[in-house]
Amino acid sequence: MERTGTPRERLRHVIFDYDTLPAKAFDLLLIFSISCSVLVVMFDSVPSFHAAAGDIFLAFEWFFTILFSIEYGLRIYAAERRGRYALSFFGVVDFLSIFPTWLSLFIPGTQYLLVIRFFRVLRIFRLLKLMQFVHEANFVRASIVASSRKILVFLFFVIVLTSIVGALMYLIEGEEHGFRSIPESIYWAIVTVTTVGYGDISPETPLGRFLAALLMITGYSVIAVPTGIVSAEMSSMRSSCSPERLCRACPGLRHEPDAAFCRRCGLPLEDAPDGDGLS
Amino acid sequence: MERTGTPRERLRHVIFDYDTLPAKAFDLLLIFSISCSVLVVMFDSVPSFHAAAGDIFLAFEWFFTILFSIEYGLRIYAAERRGRYALSFFGVVDFLSIFPTWLSLFIPGTQYLLVIRFFRVLRIFRLLKLMQFVHEANFVRASIVASSRKILVFLFFVIVLTSIVGALMYLIEGEEHGFRSIPESIYWAIVTVTTVGYGDISPETPLGRFLAALLMITGYSVIAVPTGIVSAEMSSMRSSCSPERLCRACPGLRHEPDAAFCRRCGLPLEDAPDGDGLS
Amino acid sequence: MERTGTPRERLRHVIFDYDTLPAKAFDLLLIFSISCSVLVVMFDSVPSFHAAAGDIFLAFEWFFTILFSIEYGLRIYAAERRGRYALSFFGVVDFLSIFPTWLSLFIPGTQYLLVIRFFRVLRIFRLLKLMQFVHEANFVRASIVASSRKILVFLFFVIVLTSIVGALMYLIEGEEHGFRSIPESIYWAIVTVTTVGYGDISPETPLGRFLAALLMITGYSVIAVPTGIVSAEMSSMRSSCSPERLCRACPGLRHEPDAAFCRRCGLPLEDAPDGDGLS
Amino acid sequence: MERTGTPRERLRHVIFDYDTLPAKAFDLLLIFSISCSVLVVMFDSVPSFHAAAGDIFLAFEWFFTILFSIEYGLRIYAAERRGRYALSFFGVVDFLSIFPTWLSLFIPGTQYLLVIRFFRVLRIFRLLKLMQFVHEANFVRASIVASSRKILVFLFFVIVLTSIVGALMYLIEGEEHGFRSIPESIYWAIVTVTTVGYGDISPETPLGRFLAALLMITGYSVIAVPTGIVSAEMSSMRSSCSPERLCRACPGLRHEPDAAFCRRCGLPLEDAPDGDGLS
């Protein structure tokens, strides 16, 4: 199949698809290069490694930048709709992966460029397609999207709660115990209600500790709310994925597994797999 | 529609409703003002900001106080039942938003007034209505209310557990390791069982660490209980919240809310509330 | 009703039941006394309070001890089966509530007695009956019991995991970073996997931090397991509590809500509430 | 039953099975020995215990090593397929339980051997079979396996998120606040998103704290995702794990596992696998 079409079509197939051997090989190689270049950026940020092998890291960085630049050029060349690719999520991430290194030729390389370079870790999301996890990713995303409004309400409540408790703790504990301003106290309240609990700020007065204990127990209990929302959503999505029974007259309608008649038009239902040749 | 009625009725519509353009514009402006005034209170509490721009913050505070006072007056004027509004949740919060600043004219402004002023953050809950999240908020609230008795039993158990473990740790660890009294030890037990774990107090004897490990594993496992309660409640509410449609011939069968015909016998369905007139 | 019977029977009714006014009043008074006496023990353990008001606390302690001793005597006297009450959970707790204070007459009062005295907080579980939370408490307990075997398997896995990781961290981090022995390292692993995270011991080598990060992500993900177990159990318990349809010939059998015939004997089913008079 | 067969078969039965009294006694004794030997390794790693009783621990260690060596020999002798046992999970663990101690005769005993020796704690998983928890363990494992792909997608997302946030925090906070390199910052991000929160590294700039608060709330909310996945999976496994029974006249209807008659039409049910011979 991949032998047909113009060279540009064949190239597009290798670069953008995942279903033939050359396309898979290309993507595996790409994921490997991305992982290596991310590791290079990561280790280059460790002071002792940078001192010992900064030059080698720089050489690797240029090697990967040139490689990714060629790849980016090929993608632009092969894309069916070039502007759409260039402005897509992956198009922007691909550009940000190579841009900072080229920029460092003209501007002395700062840490800002290092971090933008690190965003190439996002390219690794292509791995999901390669590993055929798209169905699972879509399921997880769909259930989050379906519950997002309820979770937003929950987060809204958490933010107002932490604001109120933060302001109260600022009053109760005061500057001498580390609650130096309302924003810092709200930060502490978020650290507490999410059960992170760094301990860099912690209450010391009895009343402050009592209020903190109430906040902890609240945080510990209300975690049940988003979990319940997502669980109920996922259970509901799962149970509506059962083998379908179809009505010839109402094609887009789903029916319960024991349905014998269409609930909209009253015609008898047919099984989905062999339901396309009744007469 | 909003052109009809007396001026007071039209004003009430703009202030208290959310469904026409002027009403939405009023609420958007209000939410924006509330957010700004909350930010002003917040930043004013940061010592360095207060030193640098305390006067500007004070000017802003008075600007917003006068704005909210006019708004409060209009609400009182326009409300259908004035006493009911004044004593409602939002009525009290609206009053607390302006009262402390006026009071500071007579009493030298203390931090207490600052914190009461900060409670105006609660006014932002009006955003929920504006964003039409009322349905979601009601769903979340209803499921919490429905599971509240079970969660109270759970919290009761957690409080007795932390009391017992706190008292034991006071005995085992003693004052030299930071467990200076039973209330402090109970505070530590709550910090531990909720998995917050500040580390301001932490056990140091082998026996104390063993008991702490047991408490952590308990806390880590029993978090499943409120989550399970709320999940089961939400799953149940999802599946039962649709009004039922009944078939005269198949009485015990449930139908999907958009069903028009019985999926078993193919007869037309009837609505549940008026479906009791068979003969 | 409570006017009938011998004095002992009437006393038993007031002390052990919860359904008449005198019985409720007795229990409310008891819960209040227990709460006060627990607070007295609690505050007496705070050094500054003990120094300031130790004598008053001692007087209160004797007041409550004598009160509870009289109550214990009345319970023994009124109980239907005295031995059974004395050896029951509440019987033992009631005895432990008064025993340490009397013992302190002969043995100079140590902290051990203080803590045993504090166990009277367990008496407060009687509140559950008073508040008619028995149904909820039974639901929570039944779902925990039903999932206990699966949760035990999960805890078994967590304990073996923390043992292995603890031993590895002892090897990797060593004494200089606070991992001074395998038991201490296992304590750290439990603190980490349960996401408590005191920070009293924390890894400092790159390899140790990598292993710790793996352990954290494991702990963060596997919390889903007990939660899922309990959620599934509670969902299942809820859905089997729906109004039942009964078969006259097979009394103990539950049927699905849309069942028309008994699945065991094939006879037609009847509705549960009015199902006792067909012919 | 266990009296029949050759001595090797009877030995195999005692060693590898769990259903007769001698087999249970053998396994109980084994679990007890494993527990003791694990405790010996554990306590031997505590410096003060090692100094006080190192010789006794060494004697115990040799006693258990010889015991387990004999047991290992018997297992090899009695196993039906010796190579398969030797290469199985338990075969390797059994070998690793005795190998390091014998090796220490030739190589001066290092801590590495101590930790490998500690892996004998894995042998304790045999307890699951003894306690007949195999069904529960399989249920937990099956539900984890069934949800593993979705959880992998979730972990993939968490890892990319922590990488991005870690790199940003490295830029924002910098070396002076403990974020000395990108790997360390990623370690911090994992500590934060999993809500462990040691506090060994914690943000101090306002922007860093704001980003940290966002990360905490994200971590606190997305814990709902794996929990929801596993809950939905377990609910689904519970409701679908019973073999189905079918009615000839009502094909699409599911029946409870103990049903003998169709609950809709009252006809006798047939088993699902051989239920396809209607005519």
Side-chain angles (χ1 to χ4, degrees):
Chain A
M1 189 75 92
E2 67 272 26
R3 286 280 157 225
T4 63
T6 66
R8 197 181 141 215
E9 275 171 353
R10 267 186 277 148
L11 183 65
R12 182 191 309 150
H13 188 256
V14 168
I15 292 180
F16 287 98
D17 289 350
Y18 306 83
D19 50 356
T20 58
L21 202 64
K24 275 186 188 166
F26 175 84
D27 279 300
L28 268 182
L29 209 73
L30 184 64
I31 299 284
F32 179 75
S33 309
I34 294 167
S35 306
C36 289
S37 79
V38 163
L39 287 178
V40 165
V41 177
M42 212 184 253
F43 287 134
D44 197 24
S45 76
V46 181
S48 60
F49 287 12
H50 183 77
D55 293 344
I56 300 170
F57 288 140
L58 192 65
F60 266 114
E61 178 56 35
W62 274 106
F63 171 74
F64 285 121
T65 299
I66 291 168
L67 199 76
F68 293 158
S69 300
I70 295 169
E71 182 225 339
Y72 184 69
L74 287 178
R75 279 184 190 270
I76 290 283
Y77 166 70
E80 205 160 1
R81 298 163 76 182
R82 281 160 187 165
R84 196 171 162 186
Y85 160 70
L87 295 174
S88 72
F89 173 73
F90 277 124
V92 171
V93 168
D94 290 350
F95 179 73
L96 286 179
S97 302
I98 51 171
F99 174 71
T101 315
W102 290 115
L103 197 71
S104 70
L105 284 182
F106 308 103
I107 300 170
T110 68
Q111 285 198 318
Y112 291 90
L113 294 179
L114 186 81
V115 168
I116 296 175
R117 228 154 70 196
F118 195 74
F119 281 178
R120 65 177 62 149
V121 77
L122 285 169
R123 303 188 72 196
I124 227 154
F125 269 121
R126 285 207 171 89
L127 193 65
L128 284 181
K129 280 191 191 163
L130 186 64
M131 291 174 72
Q132 304 185 316
F133 273 15
V134 176
H135 179 72
E136 279 77 13
N138 282 342
F139 179 87
V140 171
R141 185 166 42 192
S143 59
I144 292 172
V145 167
S147 26
S148 60
R149 284 174 66 94
K150 282 177 206 134
I151 288 180
L152 271 178
V153 169
F154 168 75
L155 287 182
F156 193 81
F157 166 78
V158 167
I159 286 165
V160 172
L161 175 74
T162 50
S163 300
I164 296 287
V165 174
L168 281 175
M169 289 300 279
Y170 169 65
L171 188 67
I172 295 169
E173 291 281 328
E175 290 181 37
E176 67 267 37
H177 296 135
F179 296 76
R180 285 174 298 180
S181 65
I182 290 184
E184 263 189 81
S185 296
I186 292 175
Y187 165 74
W188 168 85
I190 293 174
V191 168
T192 298
V193 88
T194 57
T195 78
V196 171
Y198 284 134
D200 51 350
I201 311 170
S202 62
E204 280 165 56
T205 64
L207 184 57
R209 287 184 164 180
F210 181 72
L211 189 59
L214 286 187
L215 184 63
M216 284 168 214
I217 289 179
T218 306
Y220 181 63
S221 302
V222 298
I223 186 72
V225 174
T227 307
I229 292 167
V230 174
S231 293
E233 197 62 52
M234 285 186 170
S235 288
S236 158
M237 283 174 68
R238 281 186 65 92
S239 64
S240 65
C241 291
S242 50
E244 279 185 54
R245 300 193 42 84
L246 299 177
C247 169
R248 293 174 99 202
C250 311
L253 206 64
R254 307 181 92 156
H255 299 277
E256 296 199 23
D258 66 342
F261 294 91
C262 175
R263 67 176 187 273
R264 190 190 293 164
C265 67
L267 282 180
L269 294 181
E270 298 157 22
D271 278 338
D274 50 40
D276 48 359
L278 212 167
S279 61
Chain B
M1 189 74 94
E2 67 270 26
R3 287 280 156 223
T4 63
T6 65
R8 195 179 143 217
E9 275 171 354
R10 269 188 275 149
L11 183 65
R12 181 191 310 149
H13 189 256
V14 169
I15 292 180
F16 286 100
D17 289 349
Y18 305 83
D19 50 357
T20 57
L21 202 65
K24 274 185 190 169
F26 175 84
D27 279 299
L28 267 182
L29 209 72
L30 184 64
I31 300 282
F32 179 75
S33 308
I34 294 167
S35 306
C36 288
S37 79
V38 163
L39 286 179
V40 165
V41 176
M42 213 185 252
F43 287 134
D44 196 25
S45 77
V46 181
S48 60
F49 288 12
H50 183 77
D55 293 344
I56 300 169
F57 288 139
L58 192 66
F60 266 113
E61 178 56 35
W62 275 106
F63 170 75
F64 286 120
T65 299
I66 291 167
L67 199 77
F68 293 158
S69 301
I70 294 168
E71 182 225 339
Y72 185 69
L74 288 177
R75 280 185 189 271
I76 290 282
Y77 166 71
E80 206 160 3
R81 299 163 75 183
R82 280 160 188 166
R84 196 172 160 187
Y85 160 71
L87 295 173
S88 72
F89 173 73
F90 277 124
V92 171
V93 168
D94 290 349
F95 179 73
L96 286 179
S97 302
I98 50 172
F99 174 71
T101 315
W102 291 114
L103 197 70
S104 70
L105 285 181
F106 309 101
I107 301 170
T110 68
Q111 285 198 318
Y112 291 90
L113 295 179
L114 187 80
V115 168
I116 295 174
R117 227 155 72 195
F118 194 74
F119 281 178
R120 65 177 62 148
V121 76
L122 285 169
R123 303 188 72 198
I124 225 154
F125 270 120
R126 285 209 172 88
L127 193 64
L128 285 181
K129 280 191 193 164
L130 185 65
M131 291 173 71
Q132 303 185 318
F133 273 14
V134 175
H135 178 71
E136 279 77 13
N138 283 343
F139 179 87
V140 171
R141 186 168 40 193
S143 58
I144 292 173
V145 167
S147 26
S148 60
R149 284 174 66 95
K150 284 178 205 133
I151 287 181
L152 271 180
V153 168
F154 168 75
L155 287 183
F156 193 81
F157 165 78
V158 166
I159 285 164
V160 172
L161 175 74
T162 49
S163 301
I164 297 286
V165 175
L168 281 174
M169 289 300 280
Y170 169 66
L171 188 68
I172 294 169
E173 292 280 327
E175 292 182 36
E176 67 267 35
H177 297 135
F179 295 76
R180 285 173 298 179
S181 64
I182 289 184
E184 261 189 82
S185 296
I186 292 175
Y187 166 73
W188 168 86
I190 292 175
V191 168
T192 298
V193 89
T194 57
T195 78
V196 171
Y198 285 134
D200 51 349
I201 312 171
S202 61
E204 280 165 55
T205 64
L207 185 57
R209 287 184 164 181
F210 182 73
L211 190 60
L214 285 187
L215 183 64
M216 284 168 213
I217 290 178
T218 305
Y220 181 63
S221 302
V222 298
I223 185 73
V225 173
T227 307
I229 292 167
V230 174
S231 293
E233 197 62 52
M234 285 184 169
S235 287
S236 158
M237 282 174 68
R238 281 185 64 92
S239 61
S240 71
C241 66
S242 50
E244 273 186 62
R245 302 192 42 84
L246 298 177
C247 170
R248 291 168 142 197
C250 310
L253 205 64
R254 298 180 93 166
H255 298 277
E256 297 199 20
D258 64 343
F261 294 91
C262 173
R263 66 177 190 272
R264 191 193 291 165
C265 68
L267 282 179
L269 295 179
E270 295 159 22
D271 278 338
D274 49 42
D276 48 357
L278 215 166
S279 60
Chain C
M1 188 75 95
E2 67 272 25
R3 289 278 159 224
T4 64
T6 67
R8 197 181 141 214
E9 275 172 353
R10 267 186 278 147
L11 183 65
R12 182 191 309 149
H13 189 256
V14 168
I15 292 180
F16 287 100
D17 289 348
Y18 306 83
D19 48 356
T20 57
L21 202 64
K24 275 186 190 169
F26 175 84
D27 279 299
L28 268 182
L29 209 73
L30 183 64
I31 298 284
F32 178 75
S33 309
I34 294 168
S35 305
C36 289
S37 79
V38 163
L39 286 178
V40 165
V41 177
M42 213 184 255
F43 288 135
D44 195 25
S45 77
V46 182
S48 59
F49 287 13
H50 183 77
D55 293 344
I56 301 168
F57 288 139
L58 191 65
F60 267 113
E61 176 56 35
W62 274 106
F63 170 74
F64 286 120
T65 299
I66 291 167
L67 199 77
F68 294 157
S69 301
I70 295 168
E71 181 224 340
Y72 185 69
L74 287 177
R75 279 184 191 272
I76 290 283
Y77 166 70
E80 203 160 6
R81 300 163 75 183
R82 280 160 187 166
R84 197 172 158 185
Y85 160 71
L87 295 173
S88 72
F89 173 73
F90 278 124
V92 171
V93 169
D94 290 350
F95 179 74
L96 287 179
S97 302
I98 50 172
F99 174 71
T101 315
W102 292 114
L103 198 69
S104 69
L105 286 181
F106 309 101
I107 300 171
T110 68
Q111 286 198 316
Y112 292 91
L113 295 180
L114 185 81
V115 168
I116 296 175
R117 228 154 71 195
F118 194 74
F119 282 177
R120 65 177 62 148
V121 76
L122 285 168
R123 303 187 73 196
I124 225 154
F125 270 120
R126 284 207 172 88
L127 193 63
L128 284 181
K129 280 192 192 162
L130 185 64
M131 290 174 71
Q132 303 184 318
F133 273 13
V134 176
H135 178 71
E136 279 75 14
N138 282 343
F139 179 87
V140 170
R141 185 167 42 194
S143 59
I144 291 172
V145 167
S147 27
S148 61
R149 285 175 64 94
K150 283 178 206 133
I151 287 180
L152 270 179
V153 168
F154 168 76
L155 287 182
F156 193 81
F157 165 78
V158 166
I159 286 163
V160 172
L161 175 74
T162 49
S163 300
I164 297 286
V165 174
L168 281 174
M169 289 301 279
Y170 169 65
L171 189 67
I172 294 170
E173 292 280 329
E175 291 180 36
E176 66 267 36
H177 297 134
F179 295 77
R180 286 174 298 180
S181 64
I182 291 184
E184 262 189 81
S185 297
I186 292 175
Y187 165 73
W188 168 86
I190 292 174
V191 168
T192 299
V193 88
T194 57
T195 77
V196 171
Y198 286 133
D200 52 349
I201 312 171
S202 62
E204 281 165 55
T205 64
L207 185 57
R209 288 184 163 180
F210 181 73
L211 190 59
L214 285 186
L215 184 63
M216 284 167 212
I217 289 178
T218 305
Y220 181 63
S221 302
V222 299
I223 187 71
V225 173
T227 307
I229 292 167
V230 174
S231 292
E233 197 63 52
M234 285 185 169
S235 287
S236 158
M237 283 175 67
R238 280 187 65 93
S239 64
S240 65
C241 292
S242 49
E244 278 185 55
R245 300 194 40 85
L246 298 178
C247 169
R248 295 173 100 199
C250 311
L253 205 64
R254 307 180 93 155
H255 298 277
E256 297 198 21
D258 65 343
F261 294 91
C262 174
R263 67 176 188 270
R264 190 190 291 164
C265 68
L267 282 179
L269 295 180
E270 298 157 21
D271 278 338
D274 49 42
D276 47 359
L278 213 165
S279 61
Chain D
M1 188 74 91
E2 68 272 26
R3 286 280 158 225
T4 63
T6 66
R8 197 182 142 214
E9 277 172 351
R10 268 186 277 148
L11 184 64
R12 181 190 311 151
H13 189 257
V14 169
I15 292 180
F16 287 100
D17 290 348
Y18 305 83
D19 49 356
T20 58
L21 201 65
K24 276 186 188 168
F26 174 84
D27 279 299
L28 268 183
L29 209 73
L30 184 64
I31 299 284
F32 179 75
S33 309
I34 294 168
S35 306
C36 288
S37 80
V38 163
L39 286 178
V40 164
V41 176
M42 215 184 252
F43 288 135
D44 196 24
S45 76
V46 182
S48 60
F49 287 12
H50 182 78
D55 293 344
I56 300 169
F57 288 138
L58 192 66
F60 266 114
E61 177 57 35
W62 274 107
F63 170 73
F64 286 119
T65 299
I66 291 168
L67 199 78
F68 293 158
S69 301
I70 294 168
E71 182 225 340
Y72 184 69
L74 288 177
R75 280 184 189 272
I76 289 282
Y77 166 71
E80 206 161 1
R81 300 164 74 181
R82 281 160 187 166
R84 197 172 159 184
Y85 160 70
L87 296 174
S88 73
F89 173 73
F90 278 125
V92 171
V93 169
D94 290 350
F95 180 73
L96 286 179
S97 303
I98 51 172
F99 174 71
T101 315
W102 291 114
L103 197 71
S104 69
L105 285 182
F106 308 103
I107 300 171
T110 67
Q111 286 198 318
Y112 291 90
L113 294 180
L114 186 81
V115 168
I116 296 174
R117 228 155 70 196
F118 194 74
F119 282 178
R120 64 177 63 148
V121 77
L122 285 169
R123 303 188 72 196
I124 225 153
F125 269 120
R126 283 208 173 89
L127 193 64
L128 284 182
K129 281 191 192 164
L130 184 64
M131 291 173 72
Q132 303 183 318
F133 274 13
V134 176
H135 178 72
E136 279 76 13
N138 282 343
F139 179 87
V140 171
R141 185 167 42 193
S143 59
I144 291 173
V145 167
S147 28
S148 60
R149 284 174 65 94
K150 281 177 207 133
I151 288 180
L152 270 178
V153 168
F154 168 75
L155 287 183
F156 193 81
F157 165 78
V158 166
I159 286 164
V160 172
L161 175 74
T162 49
S163 299
I164 297 286
V165 175
L168 281 174
M169 289 299 279
Y170 169 66
L171 188 68
I172 294 169
E173 291 281 328
E175 292 181 36
E176 66 267 38
H177 298 134
F179 295 76
R180 284 174 299 179
S181 64
I182 289 184
E184 263 189 80
S185 296
I186 292 175
Y187 165 74
W188 168 86
I190 293 174
V191 168
T192 299
V193 88
T194 56
T195 77
V196 171
Y198 285 133
D200 51 350
I201 311 172
S202 62
E204 282 166 55
T205 64
L207 185 58
R209 287 184 164 180
F210 182 73
L211 190 59
L214 285 187
L215 184 63
M216 284 168 214
I217 289 179
T218 306
Y220 181 61
S221 302
V222 299
I223 187 73
V225 174
T227 307
I229 293 167
V230 174
S231 292
E233 197 63 52
M234 285 185 170
S235 287
S236 157
M237 282 175 68
R238 282 185 65 94
S239 62
S240 72
C241 67
S242 50
E244 274 186 61
R245 300 191 45 83
L246 299 177
C247 170
R248 290 169 141 197
C250 311
L253 206 66
R254 299 180 91 166
H255 298 278
E256 297 199 23
D258 65 342
F261 294 90
C262 175
R263 68 177 188 271
R264 190 192 293 166
C265 67
L267 282 179
L269 295 180
E270 296 160 21
D271 278 338
D274 49 43
D276 50 357
L278 214 165
S279 61

